[in-house]
Amino acid sequence: MTNSDNMSSITSISQTQAWLESLRPKTLPLAVAAVVTGSALASWMGHFKWPVALLALLTAAMLQILSNLANDYGDVAKGSDTEKRIGPMRGMQKGLITAKQMKNALKITVLLSCLSGISLITVACNSPSDIIGFLILGLLAIVAAITYTVGTRPYGYIGLGDISVLIFFGWLSVLGTYYLQASTFSISTFLPATACGLLSVAVLNINNLRDIENDRQNGKNTLAVRLGGKKARYYHATLLITAMLCLVIFTLLYLNSWFSWLFLLAFPLLLKHMVQVLRDPTPEGMRPKLVQMVKTALLTNILFSIGLVLN
């Protein structure tokens, strides 16, 4: 093999790695957890439908990937992804992915998200009002995924990312997945949907605590920047405690089997994580806590879902 062949191979590997870094597959559990929780609620109520659940998983994953790519593009374009940032460098920041290539990737991902979403609506919705309603919600989800960091006034730069995550990773994903299978709403599903959303917000908050100094210097006024490091840590504890309470209250009100309390197995991990975050005042210390929070949030939702199905 010649030197030019070696260089070509290295470049190809680097580009592939760059795209994987921008896709951020490690964030997909958050999207999956919400759909799994919504489907478990549907199963608990006797309305579970495999085709709908699988299409909902695919659609949620595509929207998460779209958000990740848009974040990569928006942060680099606005100059907030600098060398001083503690988090991992992405493809565009490394110069391995051009702005044009990322724009094309965004267009392709939007198309795939639309195709997946339309397939989901076709399989799950029967009434015209449901079709129109979920088409509108789908479009809003696409717009929200892109405008978090892209545009003249991205809402992620003015501290509105947390409420967006609660809406789209909690209420919309969980309640929407349930409704698409059950064709009705149930007030009982609001508590686990809120818990799921709050755990996802906690993941975002750890990410923002890690990048708090870099974000502050580059005008990205996340809620963590607005609150300051100390208050943002208290806010983090509030998110976790409230999520726990939502699951406990739901179980006390609606379930009656010991299987229903399986999610308590994740509580020691959540409490340990919370204490560590409260005690570590450094942005650098939040880097390992991000992966820890993602895994613990996923475990909590999975255990809760298993308890629902067994119940």
Side-chain angles (χ1 to χ4, degrees), residues 89-107:
M89 291 180 67
R90 307 297 180 189
M92 283 190 69
Q93 188 182 359
K94 291 179 178 179
L96 294 170
I97 300 173
T98 66
K100 183 178 180 181
Q101 287 174 322
M102 186 58 77
K103 285 182 180 179
N104 289 334
L106 285 169
K107 291 175 183 177

Side-chain angles (χ1 to χ4, degrees), residues 80-90 93 206-218 233 280-290:
S80 58
D81 268 0
T82 67
E83 293 180 357
K84 294 181 180 180
R85 181 172 167 270
I86 296 172
M89 291 180 67
R90 307 297 180 189
Q93 188 182 359
I206 288 292
N207 181 80
N208 291 340
L209 277 169
R210 181 197 66 190
D211 296 335
I212 189 169
E213 297 300 333
N214 186 72
D215 287 344
R216 182 184 289 116
Q217 293 169 10
N218 290 280
R233 283 168 172 76
D280 191 338
T282 65
E284 293 83 1
M286 296 303 102
R287 186 168 185 171
K289 303 296 186 298
L290 181 58

Side-chain angles (χ1 to χ4, degrees), residues 5-19:
D5 290 334
N6 283 328
M7 288 299 294
S8 178
S9 177
I10 292 171
T11 302
S12 177
I13 293 171
S14 298
Q15 279 239 320
T16 301
Q17 183 63 32
W19 280 110

Side-chain angles (χ1 to χ4, degrees), residues 240-241 243-252 255 257-272 296 299-308:
L240 298 183
I241 292 170
M244 295 181 208
L245 285 175
C246 285
L247 294 180
V248 169
I249 293 170
F250 173 86
T251 304
L252 288 172
L255 304 178
S257 166
W258 72 267
F259 292 117
S260 311
W261 296 98
L262 279 174
F263 65 88
L264 290 178
L265 294 173
F267 276 21
L269 297 175
L270 284 170
L271 290 172
K272 180 182 178 181
T296 310
L299 177 64
T300 304
N301 283 294
I302 293 296
L303 289 174
F304 175 75
S305 298
I306 292 172
L308 275 176

